[in-house]
Amino acid sequence: MKFLFAIVLPFLYLSTCQHARKGLTKNFTQQEIDQIEYQFKDASVPPAYQRNFSWIVRKDSLWFTVDSYGMMLKDTFTRINKIKWSTCVDAFKACQIKMLPHSNKIKPCTGGSGIIISAKTKENRVFYGRYFLCEEISMTGDFSCFLASIKEGLSPSFYSLENP
């Protein structure tokens, strides 16, 4: 009996994990989501060249930050309307941003740039995906399309690094 339990337990655990992961892929509506975040994490390169970008979109506001090894290079904020918010939420479907059924762990390599996309309600994170070619791939989709949806309608000076 103990032998049977030892064999079945790992399958039950994996089944539970996959069920929890599937919860992140549910279709959600703009009424449920309170925040969307798009992050670009740059590789470990010299500080003069390293840049991490973060776009945080909420129902009424949008933040854009750029840092290099913790030094803030740009931190901007703007108010947005309901149409802009809907565009950002709808971009999940339009740009086919989805969780993969299984996260692909990749052997570490040099480089390490990647993208993290997440969406949250007041209570829970309903989406969290990583796309790092030297670490892990847990989502798929057209990430440039998704970022373009976030940038749509904003002045390029809002996210330009020329005048931080």
Side-chain angles (χ1 to χ4, degrees):
M1 185 67 165
K2 288 182 185 177
F3 180 71
L4 180 62
F5 183 72
I7 292 173
V8 173
L9 184 62
F11 290 107
L12 288 174
Y13 176 76
L14 289 174
S15 172
T16 303
C17 290
Q18 284 303 315
H19 177 68
R21 186 171 178 79
K22 286 180 184 175
L24 292 174
T25 65
K26 71 176 187 171
N27 291 327
F28 42 82
T29 64
Q30 66 187 53
Q31 289 79 25
E32 294 173 328
I33 299 297
D34 291 309
Q35 178 176 306
I36 296 170
E37 188 166 358
Y38 177 101
Q39 298 175 47
F40 171 79
K41 298 290 187 181
D42 205 353
S44 295
V45 295
Y49 305 103
Q50 201 265 359
R51 301 289 183 265
N52 298 308
F53 299 87
S54 179
W55 296 83
I56 299 173
V57 187
R58 294 191 177 142
K59 291 182 178 186
D60 62 352
S61 58
L62 190 146
W63 279 276
F64 173 69
T65 61
V66 181
D67 77 83
S68 178
Y69 293 108
M71 177 186 281
M72 193 61 65
L73 303 175
K74 185 153 191 166
D75 187 356
T76 57
F77 165 88
T78 189
R79 294 275 177 206
I80 62 170
N81 59 30
K82 290 178 184 180
I83 295 169
K84 175 68 177 166
W85 171 247
S86 295
T87 299
C88 292
V89 173
D90 293 345
F92 271 94
K93 186 174 183 178
C95 302
Q96 300 179 348
I97 306 298
K98 300 174 189 169
M99 298 295 297
L100 292 172
H102 299 286
S103 180
N104 297 324
K105 299 288 184 183
I106 298 169
K107 278 189 171 181
C109 59
T110 20
S113 295
I115 296 168
I116 299 171
I117 297 175
S118 65
K120 301 174 186 177
T121 66
K122 290 179 182 172
E123 296 85 25
N124 299 312
R125 182 168 58 188
V126 294
F127 184 93
Y128 181 81
R130 297 171 54 89
Y131 192 87
F132 285 79
L133 291 177
C134 290
E135 187 182 325
E136 175 186 13
I137 297 174
S138 65
M139 69 176 170
T140 185
D142 187 343
F143 309 124
S144 58
C145 165
F146 190 74
L147 182 56
S149 295
I150 293 171
K151 289 180 173 182
E152 185 181 351
L154 299 173
S155 166
S157 65
F158 179 78
Y159 50 86
S160 168
L161 289 180
E162 289 184 25
N163 298 314

